[in-house]
């Protein structure tokens, strides 16, 4: 039995696992929860981040506008399912992640610059006023994800260096910082290993702390003759040296299967960007972008997912 | 209030705008109006051109046969919605446009040659017998669209030079001719500007003359990691010097959203090739190819579309 | 009237041709017959081979696991429609073909090696114990299909040499062997000829012997701006010198049209790998992979298909 | 015996053919005649055009500056070998051709525009003041070469449509004009045919009129694993319908062989841009760019070259 | 001390190793021995094969004609250095290898077919009349090299499968045959291992039999930003199971260094195609193509080369 | 008159500018000073770094071994021209830069990791024992160059992020560090601007401090149809905010011209990696790699180069 370390979220969105369902992650039956038509000026809304906020939920959402500009907007929800998005642009860029550290909420996202994308870093207390910090890197990088607390006194940031365009490769690395301004001691975390993720991998939601591991959900990409397929995988990282992958599921945990995941602006995409984890019940709600078009929700528990990873371990490491 | 200059088309196909619909272009609820199964020998029917003809409607339709040869056939309709297509090949090639000038109907299309595609030009009075003119250009070009009258005494042709294959770039240019045989004074019209059209742009239906502008609907292409997405945009051109883009909508007016636009031989394609405009009511019916598979219909009015362009202007020009 | 030479299969799966149906091949209305969810560990099940076996049916099925490893498993069916798949991996690789020669069942498939794919060859009497032979070729090749009897005393194998990756070209060749170990006298069979197959062609089911020809169903690939489209075609080969294409349909016989063919892990794929032919009735049941996701079934008769090929002949040969 | 139709050029640069030299074209032993160091601001000087001018010679030279901008400058010479180049930029662009028609000198060149290269057209009487005409085409084209007189009352322009960048394909076409402003009646002239020119071909010097043919020297490009190799070929065109290739040498007439042709900014380039032809003696002096670095000179006679073409004819046409 | 097994060649071309020369292979100081100007119709002569023949030497030479067609011609020499080439085309294709087995001379070469290159096989007794056998493979393959005797009763052929065009990858494989017609039991021999050969490897001269190993000289290719660099390496193969690489030099033995290797139609190419080995002296003369332009000669001894391989072994195998 | 700030180097290698030489940088007439044959195990020696050391000179040299592994070795010289290289590998990697800060010598180089190249950082006092620090970045980056002193208390590192392989793009960025371990505040420095550097730019020698500017020599790359051409340019950076380019020469200062620069393992490369600057005389000696094969030397003075930059300024900034 694994334990989530962190806050209790009694109003975590939830549906019980369907009877006899054989896999560790199951979809919300009301998917997608946010469609492309949610905002007047949106072409699509997907790959978005949420956190518990004042007993309710707040989030930062990726909106591709009808000019196909990529912007972030804030959103709020009482139940984590029905969201009210704010029409005001917070930042330019995409694929936000959110985490709370020491009472402040930190946003990392793929920030657009004239020279390529970087990892932008900003903080807020109220999701209304934001402070932007120095970029965490030079171009080109994507999938910047902070750990939800300092480890050995240092902030730790997952990052996926890449190139301009639709990068045909990609590994996950990790950086350390004492001050969110200077970053160093880069460490390799993981590269594609199994076929379903053979093109590239990138960190997903803020890692979830458990008693024995950091649970990192991530996306992996497979290239077929008709393009990329994005799926969700899971790995368990060392608590103190989180660049060490102790266990890793050899198969995806969620892959494009439903029509809203297979059809849309980019067919065949399941892209997790956020997860809510309730330390009391062990329940986890995963928010993921579907087909680069909509936001969907899936569920698991800390035991479901860790048991699955341990049972399908391809990391070749002992704990 | 803008005014369409041209014929009245009392039997223009039409549905009123859905209540509270926030966008300037809305789809016909009977879409697609022509499916891939309309002709026995067809694999798909799409990207086609129509004109008013003797109080009814005539058209030239792109048919990809079951050999996947690309041919054009004529078609006729009483109401512009239900079409009877003729099984006889008019020409080899694709993406026809039609316009009436001085009582004759001119067809321009992407004509196949052993050395690449060119813009073919042909004329008819009855959609039965056709006269073919000299090609308007050498290879390789696509999206040749005539203005519906001479401007300053000269025929004007929009054209999109390209390369062999699935051209990864493309701008719209314009040529002048006194005789439909010799073409000159090439002028740059427009290049991709906003994200939704960043890969290439190409002229769509025959431009619609209004009291103040030429209304040019066009398609723009975005490249995702899973291929091209085609959407429809709009620009307003100078009446006398139509290569001058006076206003241009920063966002698309119609983009792949419905299943018949997102799924088919080429997913995620909205490709407008013709528009009927009724000068009395200001109503406009746009015919567009959906997913390179079927023909669909959408509606707008001259005020809806011009107001939208002016309100979302990215041309940076003053009128 | 053509005659199938071979066994009678009274329990061949069958549905009559829909009334007024204009094409020679029609789909089973219960498609897909095997979905991606048929096996617990499967991501997808498609491109599979079946043969009559002891009055019932046996098959070898391509399963892409949830690690996206490609494996083959056996399966059995009483009626050819409802299949029970075995969860045990027979071989690594994909796209199996099966044929019976002299009372033994031979499997050829795309076998994975560290240096590229080859054509693996194995034999069985019972679909339980298998003998693997020497590979029929060095890397890289795919689509290895045996003829169902020796011709002039020699085994004959169709093969599609290719390169690593999603080969952008491909012709069908043929090899001879006296012993299934040494292969020689390579002969060119056919290359892409018409647009629908312009990128590459590859042999499909085990060729069906008729009184006058070998009927070879095959797949052809067209490249659009959004990837590959796979369709099924047909050719009639010389009985004695089967590398001679006597007749060949200029158009596909089956192309992606239904949602389960257009949407899935690889959109727009119809990939035939097996056909059951009943010599008494002339009925043929074709098994094909749909969208690299599921297995589907279509029907024709030897007369339907041969008449169609002769009526749409593009081979330029006389019989 | 063939006869050149045109002016006498008694001071044509000349060296006799080396004894027992087996080929129809031989190099000047003082090559290169203009080096990259000829102008202070030049990185390289090559691919240039010359004409007889007032009993001496004038030319327009391609200079790649030390910023690697591409400009044209005028130059003058008493003997056609020693040239004084003018440091003043005439036009931006490259690969000029010159011809005299009706007492005026016409320059065509690859003119740079923000949207790709076009064929610029300009005229002069004195190589000092120039009149620029409308561009002869929209982007993208290169190798625009005028015939040295009107044919059937029309100017005729050879052109090589291409794409942006280092075009991997290319055929020669031809346009007609009555006024140097409107161009029409495009005709295909020739495509790559033999291995040495398999990638692309482009017109070279102004065609030389002879009693029976237009002699067109041109360049052909072969792609090796280490890049492009440019060589010079020859074809004989119909006098009245110059898009008809009556004869064509199957082999190159000059290919990279000397160090100054094999080493430089672009190794392995022989690129002819101009030829002087003396109607009295039948002597021809060819100016060509060497390795995109310097200007070199080679010699032939009208009989040498026509005899060679006729003896190595691959055009498959009768005269 | 290693011993060459095979004929004595007392007139083997030879120069002693330069004093203090630190490497195992040294160049002939009269290089290149055959230039591109050796034959009237040649553009270049390179990558050629020679054998002892009647106390003198015979060879088959790759000639790229001035049409850049690739043909083979015979040649004869008294001393192995000065060659008289025959102007008559033997076969179309390139990169010949020669070996003597049981008194007959066998030629393998890269034979051109409309569908890609294959390994052609032909035999002669006199280098005048030739018998062509069945092709040893289907397209696409290159670098077919026979062992100079049957091993365990079977002919053995090295082969490098590849794709159309300038293949960006390539491993060496090996086939067996009892009759030079049917080939089987394919075995992987070796892949690129060290940087100097990282793009691809291909067999070179006919392997040289020594008392303990087959000495295989081969070429390896490195890709720089300016194209391919071809160098010569060496491996020692098992006598009975020659697909087993017992030892392999980690570095090249000869790489482009001299001007005639670095400059020419394809810069930076050293491509060995033949070696003469004198069993009495242990001397070896290697013929290699230089810059795809000329034929050059280098020397070594069986001890020099085997000692070097053993001292720089990267095979990771024990003998 | 500009003044170099830094040490005096009385024994700086030097030759006076040739009479009437029109450019600001001139070559040493004994070039190349270090050839590929300088070390027994070397394939090539180039792109190397030197510093004054104890009244003499020390350096770190890039050696590509005969396995084509890339290593760094130390070297020493009395006069900066004749060098004795040490055969011992210091580090794996390439393109070293050296600078002295506070009495220690710091090496930055392109360090090889299994996941791509990074900027390695190491320090020494004696060029014998080295301390390696944390990598300055995650993969992939090249051209890491330290400023020779702290600026506003922080170390400053120029860096060129790139991708795996022969990156087809590249801009120069800059990072700050207080401790050579954590790096932050990334700043864009410059991108390609003029044609000669249009593909990418990368920092060259350690910047030279003058009274008014940091003088940054750098390389720029142009892509021709036959590959990359590397040349040397110059920019003047702000003393306090060195990411601000105050002036920049629009043209290269040195480009491939001599045979040793145009012919070699990578033709057409001039790649500066080090410069010695004598504060007394204003003389500067630049060490550059030639054709990825050898090390060459060129000279300038601080006035020559700054005057040239100011006279050819394309930075568009005021000082």
């Amino acid at each position: 039995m694994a334990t989530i370390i962190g806050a209790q979220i009694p109003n975590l969105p939830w549906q019980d696992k369907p009877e006899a369902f054989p896999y560790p992650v199951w979809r919300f039956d009301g998917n997608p929860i946010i469609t492309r038509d949610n905002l007047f000026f949106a072409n699509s809304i997907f790959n978005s981040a949420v956190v518990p906020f004042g007993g309710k939920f707040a989030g930062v959402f990726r909106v591709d506008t009808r000019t196909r500009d990529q912007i972030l907007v804030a959103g709020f929800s009482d139940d984590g399912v029905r969201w009210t998005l704010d029409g005001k642009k917070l930042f330019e860029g995409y694929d936000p992640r959110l985490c709370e550290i020491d009472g402040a909420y930190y946003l990392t996202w793929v920030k657009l610059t004239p020279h390529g994308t970087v990892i932008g870093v900003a903080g807020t207390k109220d999701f209304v006023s934001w402070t932007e910090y120095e970029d965490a890197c030079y171009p080109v990088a994507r999938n910047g994800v902070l750990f939800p607390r300092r480890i050995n006194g240092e902030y730790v940031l997952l990052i996926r260096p890449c190139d301009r365009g639709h990068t045909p490769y990609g590994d996950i690395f990790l950086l350390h910082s004492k001050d969110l301004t200077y970053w160093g001691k880069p460490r390799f975390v993981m590269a594609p290993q199994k076929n379903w993720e053979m093109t590239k991998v990138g960190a997903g939601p803020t890692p979830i702390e458990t008693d024995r591991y950091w649970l990192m959900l991530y996306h992996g990409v497979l290239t077929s003759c008709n393009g990329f397929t994005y799926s969700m995988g899971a790995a368990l990282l060392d608590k103190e040296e989180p660049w060490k992958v102790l266990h890793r599921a050899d198969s995806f945990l969620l892959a494009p299967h439903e029509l809203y995941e297979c059809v849309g602006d980019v067919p065949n995409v399941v892209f997790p960007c956020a997860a809510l984890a309730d330390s009391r019940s062990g329940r986890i709600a995963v928010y993921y972008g579907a087909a680069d078009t909509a936001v969907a929700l899936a569920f698991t528990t800390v035991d479901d997912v860790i048991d699955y990873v341990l049972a399908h371990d391809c990391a070749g490491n002992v704990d």
Side-chain angles (χ1 to χ4, degrees), chain A:
Chain A
M1 291 291 291
T3 305
I4 291 172
I5 297 179
Q8 297 190 7
I9 311 177
N11 55 342
L12 184 97
W14 187 252
Q15 285 181 330
D16 284 334
K17 193 174 187 167
E19 191 128 5
F21 190 77
Y23 305 115
V25 177
W26 56 99
R27 289 171 179 83
F28 178 53
D29 67 9
N31 273 348
I33 59 167
I34 302 176
T35 72
R36 60 201 304 168
D37 301 316
N38 189 290
L39 280 172
F40 164 69
F41 56 82
N43 168 74
S44 44
I45 306 170
F46 56 105
N47 299 2
S48 298
V50 305
V51 284
F53 176 65
K56 300 179 176 178
F57 301 96
V60 173
F61 294 81
R62 171 179 176 175
V63 177
D64 280 14
T65 69
R66 292 170 76 87
T67 61
R68 298 300 296 262
D69 286 308
Q70 301 155 327
I71 65 168
L72 305 183
V73 304
F76 300 91
S77 173
D78 289 352
D79 62 5
V81 175
R82 284 161 297 183
W83 288 85
T84 302
L85 304 194
D86 185 5
K88 188 171 141 288
K89 176 173 72 174
L90 293 182
F91 298 102
E92 295 204 323
Y94 56 91
D95 292 359
R97 272 75 166 199
L98 280 173
C99 72
E100 183 188 351
I101 306 179
D102 301 336
Y105 300 94
Y106 292 94
L107 169 71
T108 53
W109 79 102
V110 182
K111 180 180 166 183
L112 309 179
T113 83
H115 312 291
T117 57
V118 296
I119 303 304
V121 184
T124 189
K125 295 264 180 178
D126 55 11
F127 288 87
V128 174
S129 80
W130 293 82
T131 303
E132 187 171 355
Y133 301 95
E134 288 279 346
D135 298 335
C137 64
Y138 45 81
V140 189
R142 301 198 186 102
N143 294 303
V145 180
L146 275 172
F147 279 74
R149 64 165 172 84
R150 300 187 192 212
I151 301 174
N152 297 318
E154 296 187 325
Y155 297 96
V156 179
L157 179 72
L158 295 161
I159 196 170
R160 208 269 303 287
C162 54
D163 68 4
R164 300 173 178 176
H166 302 296
T167 309
Y169 64 85
D171 303 335
I172 301 175
F173 288 79
L174 169 158
L175 299 174
H176 299 83
S177 179
K178 294 179 171 164
D179 50 16
L180 288 176
T181 297
Y182 298 86
W183 297 88
K185 298 190 294 180
R187 295 292 178 269
F188 169 73
V189 180
M190 67 189 227
Q193 183 171 335
K194 301 296 289 183
N195 281 346
W196 70 270
E197 60 184 357
M198 198 43 86
T199 300
K200 51 183 170 177
V201 291
T206 299
I208 296 168
E209 187 167 7
T210 74
D211 50 342
R212 299 190 58 191
Y213 314 105
W214 289 105
L215 167 59
M216 179 177 70
L217 299 173
Y218 68 96
H219 67 266
V221 180
L222 174 69
T223 303
S224 82
C225 61
N226 281 359
F228 285 169
T229 296
Y230 284 77
S231 305
M232 180 178 80
L236 303 178
L237 311 179
D238 187 84
K239 290 286 289 278
E240 295 304 304
E241 298 178 305
W243 59 89
K244 295 189 175 167
V245 178
L246 301 180
H247 306 286
R248 179 175 177 179
D250 61 0
S251 62
F252 57 74
L253 274 70
L254 196 71
H257 187 285
E258 303 302 312
L259 198 60
Y260 58 85
E261 295 159 346
C262 296
V263 173
D265 277 350
V266 182
N268 293 325
V269 176
V270 160
F271 192 98
C273 272
L276 300 173
D278 174 30
S279 60
R280 191 186 53 79
S281 65
R283 292 174 172 174
I284 298 173
V286 179
Y287 292 79
Y288 65 96
D292 274 20
T293 300
V295 178
L297 188 54
F299 304 108
T300 188
T301 69
V302 67
D303 283 329
D304 268 294
V305 68
I306 287 182
D307 288 353
Y308 188 86
V309 173
L310 296 178
H312 297 77
D313 193 1
C314 66
N317 293 327
V318 288
D319 192 0

